[in-house]
Amino acid sequence: MKDKLEAIRRKAEAELAELKEQSQLENFRIAVLGKKGELTSILKMMGSLSPEERPVMGQMANDVRTFIEEKLQEKAKEIKEREMQKEIESVPLFDVSAPANLDRGSYHPITLVQRQCEAVFKSMGFTIENYSEIVTDYECFEALNIPKHHPARDMQDTYYLENGQLLKSHTSAAQNAIYRKYRDSLVNDGLPIKAIFPGRCFRNEATDACHENTFFQMEGVMVDKNISISNLIYFMKTMLSEVFQKDIKVRLRPGFFPFVEPGFELDISCLICGGDGCPSCKHSGWLELCPCGMIHPEVLKAGGIDPEEYTGFAFGLGLTRLAMMKYGVKDIRDLNSGSLKSLAQFTDDE
Ligand code: DAH
């Protein structure tokens, strides 16, 4: 039996050395190690051995099996590497003398909607402000009537720098600076403050198809004497109808934000069904788009403006959300992916 085992080992080794393809390996395994394989049939003869011989032969049979299995694995690896090498060699070499690919790239969907919004607001007399991505706790929260330990901070956890500054969690963080910048011309010259400020925002957020730790908003404010909710509705409706190139209906629902009073959620008529109800709007006919409201007196005061004399509205438009709606982007992560292939398909028309 010893000789037979040794013979199987040697034969297997020699046969394996000849094999060249993955499919041959499986046939070999079945023929040698399978239920009816050569090694297995030898093991069936163990019953005829003496009790002293049995453990010795058992051990030897095991060693042969391990040996063959190891060789088989080595061979599989070798064949795989050879196939990979073949595939690599089959790819034509890069030809440096070939003419350059002159694809000109395309604007990012968020840049596109941002520019469209800017153009519409500019035509309505709004200035476009650029504001820092790094702000103070005062700008991001305190000046917006969100004191330390206010529960509204929970939803806006962000990234903090060692010096106590933070990456802004919303574009509202620029409100205070804008009021201060234009307060003198408002009070002395009677010019209304009309400004929009688009920007990148950050939140300490677990990402999924609808959440990202980096996204874009566009804040807008208008402050003057006698500004009311009707002004807010008018500007929002005009801007959205321009961006979507169709008549958009809007409605306001109450919403809570510490820096506006009253605060609202602004919904627009569903872009897919026009308001009749469909799966996209969960059959309500409406899509939630933009929180907004009348600027809280404390926020005006923090910006150096007397709330007894002036009122204003503010809104925080989710540019990322708007881009997703307009271009039918289903997964927010596509937008930050940097994948030109994903992004170009939304913007071919521009
Ligand atoms: N800053 C808020 C956020 O990101 C959104 C917002 C709500 C902005 C109401 C506003 C507003 O200007 O009036 O959650």
Side-chain angles (χ1 to χ4, degrees):
M1 185 163 178
K2 195 174 161 196
D3 294 343
K4 276 191 185 150
L5 281 171
E6 182 53 24
I8 291 181
R9 192 184 70 78
R10 254 192 265 127
K11 183 168 158 254
E13 195 176 8
E15 275 177 14
L16 256 179
E18 295 298 310
L19 301 186
K20 301 226 159 25
E21 282 172 36
Q22 207 74 30
S23 58
Q24 293 173 316
L25 289 185
E26 183 56 12
N27 292 341
F28 171 86
R29 195 189 62 76
I30 293 169
V32 181
L33 305 175
K35 260 195 203 149
K36 293 186 183 144
E38 287 172 55
L39 189 64
T40 323
S41 20
I42 294 264
L43 290 180
K44 283 187 189 141
M45 289 156 57
M46 292 281 261
S48 61
L49 298 177
S50 69
E52 299 82 50
E53 269 181 319
R54 223 174 281 160
V56 182
M57 283 303 130
Q59 178 63 45
M60 189 174 170
N62 262 341
D63 290 347
V64 171
R65 170 176 275 276
T66 315
F67 174 83
I68 298 176
E69 279 171 350
E70 278 172 9
K71 286 278 168 206
L72 197 64
Q73 266 178 17
E74 273 172 32
K75 191 73 187 178
K77 204 169 146 215
E78 185 190 314
I79 293 181
K80 209 164 163 195
E81 276 169 11
R82 197 170 334 116
E83 282 172 1
M84 224 155 79
Q85 192 59 31
K86 239 200 239 163
E87 203 176 316
I88 292 171
E89 280 163 12
S90 70
V91 177
L93 284 179
F94 176 61
D95 179 359
V96 284
S97 66
N101 177 358
L102 291 177
D103 273 358
R104 292 197 5 256
S106 52
Y107 285 115
H108 192 283
I110 294 179
T111 307
L112 290 173
V113 287
Q114 179 179 328
R115 289 186 177 189
Q116 290 155 3
C117 295
E118 285 176 3
V120 181
F121 273 103
K122 216 167 160 182
S123 73
M124 297 192 288
F126 281 70
T127 60
I128 300 165
E129 309 289 332
N130 204 351
Y131 203 66
S132 169
E133 285 171 3
I134 298 174
V135 296
T136 59
D137 184 276
Y138 177 80
E139 292 171 296
C140 202
F141 300 119
E142 301 262 344
L144 292 166
N145 203 24
I146 312 177
K148 291 229 158 34
H149 311 300
H150 191 288
R153 289 192 179 213
D154 275 1
M155 285 178 295
Q156 305 223 1
D157 188 19
T158 178
Y159 303 97
Y160 289 81
L161 308 188
E162 275 167 8
N163 66 6
Q165 289 187 305
L166 45 108
L167 299 188
K168 67 172 188 274
S169 56
H170 52 174
T171 41
S172 311
Q175 280 196 22
N176 191 260
I178 305 291
Y179 299 143
R180 294 191 170 278
K181 179 172 172 188
Y182 291 110
R183 111 168 248 293
D184 285 349
S185 47
L186 173 73
V187 175
N188 301 333
D189 310 328
L191 294 174
I193 301 178
K194 289 163 90 179
I196 54 167
F197 23 112
R200 197 196 310 259
C201 303
F202 305 85
R203 286 195 200 172
N204 184 4
E205 191 90 68
T207 56
D208 61 26
C210 314
H211 297 88
E212 254 290 10
N213 51 27
T214 308
F215 54 95
F216 289 77
Q217 292 186 337
M218 195 184 78
E219 190 92 358
V221 292
M222 176 167 182
V223 182
D224 201 357
K225 289 186 173 153
N226 302 319
I227 295 292
S228 71
I229 297 170
S230 333
N231 299 105
L232 167 67
I233 296 175
Y234 169 79
F235 280 106
M236 294 313 290
K237 193 171 150 57
T238 308
M239 191 274 294
L240 294 167
S241 299
E242 284 292 324
V243 169
F244 288 107
Q245 294 289 305
K246 55 175 148 179
D247 187 39
I248 299 279
K249 280 193 231 107
V250 299
R251 76 170 183 188
L252 295 181
R253 286 179 293 118
F256 173 72
F257 304 94
F259 36 94
V260 280
E261 180 57 36
F264 306 107
E265 291 287 355
L266 181 138
D267 297 337
I268 59 170
S269 48
C270 177
L271 297 165
I272 313 278
C273 64
D276 296 339
C278 71
S280 286
C281 58
K282 298 199 186 101
H283 301 283
S284 69
W286 296 97
L287 296 172
E288 185 176 318
L289 185 70
C290 173
C292 52
M294 300 304 293
I295 302 165
H296 195 287
E298 289 301 325
V299 175
L300 286 176
K301 250 194 252 172
I305 296 169
D306 180 1
E308 296 292 331
E309 219 178 319
Y310 298 96
T311 51
F313 67 75
F315 61 86
L317 189 62
L319 278 183
T320 299
R321 194 169 148 70
L322 196 60
M324 288 174 78
M325 279 186 180
K326 179 154 185 192
Y327 294 103
V329 182
K330 297 226 163 52
D331 192 317
I332 190 170
R333 290 166 294 193
D334 280 340
L335 291 172
N336 286 356
S337 68
S339 156
L340 297 181
K341 213 165 153 196
S342 312
L343 295 172
Q345 63 182 321
F346 307 122
T347 54
D348 274 345
D349 53 326
E350 304 287 331

